[in-house]
Amino acid sequence: MGGVWWILGIGLLLLVIAALADRRSDWRAQQMMDEAPDRPELGDQPTPDYLPESPMHRTPPPLSEEEVAALDEELAAEERVEVEAVLADERLATSSRPQRAIQRGTVVVSCPEGTGSVREMLTVLDRAAVQHTPIVVIAPQFDVELLDMMAANAEHGVLMALPLRAGSQECARIAELCGAMPLSRADLQSGWAPDEAFGRALIVVAGLDSSVLVVPTIASPAV
């Protein structure tokens, strides 16, 4: 019975953070409208991009020399694979110079058709939260509110979820490398996420230009 209450508690907490992310997105949209200058004569000039600073964004510190050496040793493994995937949200970077996110002992979920609303991903994220396991989600595109939720979870230490943006074919390749079964939008919308959908990676280094994975010799479902 205690396990059931724990799972329900995690799910409720994720919903609360999702709601906070929705409010934050509304605030960002309103701020963008307030900051846009009046332009009575637009003519053929291009519309500028308004990118207000996110209140949650913090520049992470760079790795120390010892940490860089340890990371290089980890990435020297024979199972090291470079992939055409990039960090989808700079707010989730864990180190700077260069800016990248480093995650160890993570489960991997591939969504070649992209991700929709936060609610679509709750089943997948809840599974990782209950297991106290970091998770990497790979997709061609991410919903803005979902990225806000991931950033909020990381900020509060509830769940370490790392979004990687990659093309559909690369999503499928990474899934095969990590031993994961790709999930379709229909799977996500129905809440269907079997054990076979969760692959594994020993370490993921997600950069703004490319990423590196170290995968188990024989990848198998992790949760």
Side-chain angles (χ1 to χ4, degrees):
M1 180 62 69
V4 173
W5 284 110
W6 169 252
I7 294 174
L8 289 175
I10 289 292
L12 180 60
L13 185 56
L14 288 173
L15 284 172
V16 170
I17 292 180
L20 291 175
D22 288 341
R23 292 181 60 186
R24 183 174 299 106
S25 296
D26 292 340
W27 175 88
R28 288 168 62 186
Q30 184 61 47
Q31 187 181 40
M32 289 172 67
M33 293 178 63
D34 293 341
E35 291 185 358
D38 294 331
R39 299 200 305 169
E41 297 181 2
L42 295 178
D44 295 328
Q45 298 178 2
T47 302
D49 294 326
Y50 297 100
L51 301 174
E53 179 80 1
S54 169
M56 292 188 60
H57 183 69
R58 302 287 186 276
T59 301
L63 297 180
S64 66
E65 293 183 2
E66 293 77 11
E67 290 171 327
V68 170
L71 179 61
D72 288 343
E73 184 175 350
E74 289 180 283
L75 296 181
E78 293 182 1
E79 296 80 10
R80 176 182 185 274
V81 181
E82 294 189 14
V83 296
E84 295 180 3
V86 298
L87 181 62
D89 195 322
E90 295 183 20
R91 291 176 297 177
L92 289 161
T94 59
S95 64
S96 57
R97 291 185 282 175
Q99 195 167 18
R100 54 190 175 179
I102 303 170
Q103 208 169 84
R104 294 176 173 85
T106 184
V107 296
V108 178
V109 172
S110 176
C111 307
E113 298 178 8
T115 63
S117 66
V118 171
R119 199 170 295 275
E120 286 185 17
M121 295 299 297
L122 280 181
T123 299
V124 169
L125 297 179
D126 193 46
R127 287 279 297 274
V130 170
Q131 296 288 333
H132 302 285
T133 304
I135 182 172
V136 171
V137 180
I138 307 166
Q141 67 275 336
F142 291 87
D143 183 80
V144 174
E145 283 73 20
L146 177 59
L147 293 176
D148 283 343
M149 179 194 177
M150 289 181 174
N153 273 277
E155 181 78 7
H156 292 85
V158 177
L159 172 68
M160 299 307 297
L162 189 63
L164 289 186
R165 183 178 289 113
S168 298
Q169 292 185 350
E170 190 70 352
C171 286
R173 185 175 82 95
I174 295 173
E176 183 177 0
L177 289 169
C178 297
M181 181 186 72
L183 292 174
S184 67
R185 283 294 302 279
D187 295 335
L188 297 176
Q189 291 166 357
S190 66
W192 188 71
D195 291 346
E196 292 80 7
F198 296 83
R200 294 188 298 161
L202 302 178
I203 183 170
V204 175
V205 180
L208 302 182
D209 298 319
S210 62
S211 300
V212 176
L213 283 70
V214 175
V215 299
T217 304
I218 302 178
S220 59
V223 296

